[in-house]
Amino acid sequence: MAEPTATGLVHNLDTDPNCLKQRESWRSNVTKTDDGHYRYALKDGQSNFSLRPSMTMIPEGGIAVVQYRGNNARAESDYPSDCTILSDNGWLLVVKALKNSICAIRYYSGYVELDHVTVLPDETEYRRMRDGYKLPAGFDGDTMPLMGGGRAKRHRLAARLRRSDWVVAA
């Protein structure tokens, strides 16, 4: 049986794909967790808090895929003219930048802990990543391309591929 041919590389533009650096946030309490991530929660006396999911600017038309843990954290775009939420299933948030933006996300309750972030230049790259890996429900920490813009630790698939970017098979 022949090996599948590569149709290209998927490159993560985020410089901290494992979310081990504190993100910019507003009106929030931030604490470092035991696993090295950060918990962002509503500050006392505030009605909402905002969080920048990516360390980098998301290009116009770009997609940010954010794996997170949360508790009653209802998300919406902080600046709807800058970005829009394409989907949020309670553990995976997909945001599209409508112009070059930080794509801040507003939360009204609960807390959020970011696990992984992938920033892609456009929807075509997002579909290539999603469809190339035959992942109908989205991504998780073992299937998101984490090796692009930053020096993230290798996970199972990235180590197996021995690449800094992921190869999408036909």
Side-chain angles (χ1 to χ4, degrees), residues 10-13 58-59 62-65 118-122 125-126 129:
V10 175
H11 185 73
N12 185 354
L13 301 176
I58 300 170
I63 302 290
V65 182
T118 296
V119 175
L120 300 164
D122 54 41
E125 288 298 293
Y126 170 65
M129 184 174 76

Side-chain angles (χ1 to χ4, degrees), residues 3 12-13 15 17 31 42-43 63-64 79 85 92 112-113 121 123 129 133 143 159 162 166:
E3 291 285 320
N12 185 354
L13 301 176
T15 57
T31 55
L42 188 64
K43 187 180 263 185
I63 302 290
Y79 299 98
I85 295 175
L92 191 74
V112 175
E113 294 176 20
E123 281 190 76
M129 184 174 76
Y133 297 112
T143 54
R162 303 263 192 266
W166 281 29

Side-chain angles (χ1 to χ4, degrees), residues 53-75:
S54 174
M55 293 297 284
T56 60
M57 191 73 79
I58 300 170
E60 180 176 348
I63 302 290
V65 182
V66 183
Q67 180 194 358
Y68 70 94
R69 291 170 275 156
N71 177 12
N72 298 325
R74 185 174 49 105

Side-chain angles (χ1 to χ4, degrees), residues 14-145:
D14 195 272
T15 57
D16 180 32
N18 285 320
C19 304
L20 297 176
K21 295 178 184 171
Q22 184 175 334
R23 302 304 204 245
E24 285 185 90
S25 64
W26 301 267
R27 300 175 306 279
S28 67
N29 284 325
V30 182
T31 55
K32 193 166 187 174
T33 63
D34 291 340
D35 65 0
H37 292 90
Y38 290 87
R39 177 178 285 188
Y40 305 88
L42 188 64
K43 187 180 263 185
D44 289 342
Q46 299 295 322
S47 59
N48 62 61
F49 70 97
S50 296
L51 173 63
R52 178 181 176 177
S54 174
M55 293 297 284
T56 60
M57 191 73 79
I58 300 170
E60 180 176 348
I63 302 290
V65 182
V66 183
Q67 180 194 358
Y68 70 94
R69 291 170 275 156
N71 177 12
N72 298 325
R74 185 174 49 105
E76 67 179 43
S77 173
D78 202 7
Y79 299 98
S81 62
D82 287 0
C83 62
T84 187
I85 295 175
L86 299 179
S87 68
D88 181 7
N89 66 8
W91 64 273
L92 191 74
L93 176 69
V94 180
V95 178
K96 179 179 181 179
L98 302 175
K99 57 185 175 182
N100 289 341
S101 175
I102 63 171
C103 289
I105 304 300
R106 184 182 314 144
Y107 297 94
Y108 287 96
S109 61
Y111 68 84
V112 175
E113 294 176 20
L114 304 180
D115 287 325
H116 303 287
V117 174
T118 296
V119 175
L120 300 164
D122 54 41
E123 281 190 76
T124 301
E125 288 298 293
Y126 170 65
R127 280 192 303 276
R128 285 182 59 232
M129 184 174 76
R130 184 190 67 211
D131 299 343
Y133 297 112
K134 311 290 189 270
L135 302 171
F139 311 99
D140 63 24
D142 287 332
T143 54
M144 290 176 75

